[in-house]
């Protein structure tokens, strides 16, 4: 139905538009939930549908098909019928079993571009890197499995018994481990596990790495191999700074091994 009352559309608005075969189509995302469209340069708007989950102010439309609209929040969403119905591109948990072909959680942007030959493609930025799609987000491909030289680190730690080993706890890019730190040049890190990790501690005569996960959980890794061993969660309900990284201090004494 056409929107008659201005207050129906809230002040939290995102716009997207596309010009295809001479027709300008606008889309409007209201309050990160309701999707409206206009084909008369915004003179009137039609309520098309509602997103299956709240967006994070992300809205995009195809540059070759005005019926195809996209949004993102924790997960990416697509509509092939002007926003009337929506499909989640993939559940955020699907990423961990298919890093190359599924989107990581937390969609920061979706933008359509064209190559010089006219080929349309979409770039999807997320907390795990950058993905590309050549079929309107029916499928996606991770462009940053290797060669991503930027990350937000909560903590870094050089192994005291082997200066070649450096650990990094990253935001949404997991626990990372380099094993050639003494070699000049750009370091290459491998991701041991995905997620958010910080406050890294070495104990047990430097045999064990303790990597903290938000909420007071520790994941233990073998320092020599980088392999996961086990995990432990701090008990209690009134933890300091509860909800993210908790204060931590290493009291291990390598001389007495205590």
């Amino acid at each position: 139905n056409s929107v008659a009352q201005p207050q129906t559309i809230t002040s939290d608005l995102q716009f997207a538009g596309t010009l295809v075969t001479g027709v300008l189509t606008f889309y409007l995302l209201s309050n990160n939930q309701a999707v409206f469209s206009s084909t008369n340069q915004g003179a009137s708007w039609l309520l098309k549908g509602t997103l299956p989950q709240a967006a994070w102010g992300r809205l995009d439309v195809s540059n070759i098909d005005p019926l195809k609209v996209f949004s993102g929040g924790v997960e990416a969403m697509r509509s092939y019928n002007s926003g009337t119905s929506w499909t989640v591109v993939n559940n955020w948990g699907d990423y961990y079993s298919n890093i190359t072909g599924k989107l990581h959680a937390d969609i920061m942007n979706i933008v359509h571009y064209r190559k010089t030959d006219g080929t349309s493609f979409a770039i999807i930025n997320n907390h795990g890197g950058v993905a590309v799609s050549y079929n309107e987000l029916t499928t996606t491909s991770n462009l940053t499995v290797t060669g991503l030289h930027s990350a937000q680190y909560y903590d870094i730690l050089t192994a005291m018994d082997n200066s070649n080993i450096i650990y990094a706890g990253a935001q949404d890019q997991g626990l990372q481990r380099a094993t050639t730190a003494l070699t000049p040049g750009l370091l290459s890190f491998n991701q041991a596990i995905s997620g958010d990790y910080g406050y890294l501690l070495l104990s047990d005569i430097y045999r064990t790495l303790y990597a903290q996960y938000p909420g007071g959980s520790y994941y233990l890794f073998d320092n020599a191999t980088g392999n996961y061993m086990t995990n432990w969660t701090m008990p209690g309900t009134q933890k300091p700074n509860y909800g993210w990284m908790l204060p931590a201090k290493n009291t291990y004494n390598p001389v007495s091994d205590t």
Side-chain angles (χ1 to χ4, degrees):
N1 296 322
S2 178
V3 178
Q5 300 82 17
Q7 65 269 24
T8 302
I9 300 177
T10 71
S11 59
D12 187 0
L13 307 177
Q14 300 295 325
F15 292 89
T18 188
L19 180 64
V20 179
T21 62
V23 178
L24 182 61
T25 303
F26 284 135
Y27 286 93
L28 182 152
L29 176 63
S30 174
N31 201 30
N32 284 317
Q33 203 79 53
V35 178
F36 299 80
S37 72
S38 173
T39 55
N40 58 7
Q41 299 184 12
S44 62
W45 294 86
L46 296 175
L47 174 60
K48 304 299 293 187
T50 303
L51 297 178
Q53 58 183 255
W56 290 359
R58 319 300 181 213
L59 184 67
D60 188 43
V61 57
S62 169
N63 52 18
I64 57 174
D65 188 342
L67 299 180
K68 296 180 177 178
V69 198
F70 309 89
S71 187
V74 174
E75 298 166 333
M77 296 162 277
R78 63 174 186 259
S79 172
Y80 289 170
N81 55 10
S82 298
T84 302
S85 60
W86 290 83
T87 300
V88 173
V89 175
N90 64 259
N91 295 323
W92 67 267
D94 297 340
Y95 168 84
Y96 300 102
S97 59
N98 187 358
I99 291 175
T100 59
K102 298 297 182 180
L103 296 175
H104 192 284
D106 304 339
I107 307 303
M108 304 311 296
N109 211 357
I110 303 172
V111 181
H112 275 73
Y113 299 95
R114 287 183 187 268
K115 293 185 176 182
T116 55
D117 63 3
T119 301
S120 173
F121 65 99
I123 294 294
I124 308 100
N125 297 326
N126 57 73
H127 278 197
V130 179
V132 64
S133 176
Y134 289 97
N135 55 11
E136 308 289 24
L137 275 70
T138 298
T139 60
T140 61
S141 178
N142 190 347
L143 296 175
T144 49
V145 175
T146 60
L148 182 62
H149 300 319
S150 63
Q152 177 184 347
Y153 289 153
Y154 290 115
D155 198 7
I156 56 174
L157 177 67
T158 300
M160 284 75 83
D161 62 332
N162 184 350
S163 297
N164 265 313
I165 298 177
I166 295 180
Y167 295 98
Q171 159 68 27
D172 260 333
Q173 293 180 26
L175 175 68
Q176 303 176 14
R177 184 174 183 263
T179 58
T180 58
L182 296 179
T183 302
L186 190 66
L187 283 179
S188 177
F189 283 79
N190 291 320
Q191 187 182 92
I193 189 170
S194 182
D196 306 301
Y197 289 87
Y199 296 150
L200 310 175
L201 309 171
L202 276 171
S203 190
D204 308 327
I205 318 183
Y206 312 130
R207 290 187 297 259
T208 306
L209 174 77
Y210 291 73
Q212 186 181 154
Y213 187 82
S217 295
Y218 275 92
Y219 285 72
L220 280 62
F221 297 83
D222 182 87
N223 182 34
T225 64
N227 293 334
Y228 167 77
M229 298 166 58
T230 186
N231 64 81
W232 172 83
T233 299
M234 180 188 300
T237 57
Q238 298 184 12
K239 305 173 188 178
N241 196 30
Y242 181 73
W244 205 243
M245 301 295 179
L246 310 186
K249 180 176 177 59
N250 193 350
T251 60
Y252 173 67
N253 185 336
V255 176
S256 61
D257 192 20
T258 58

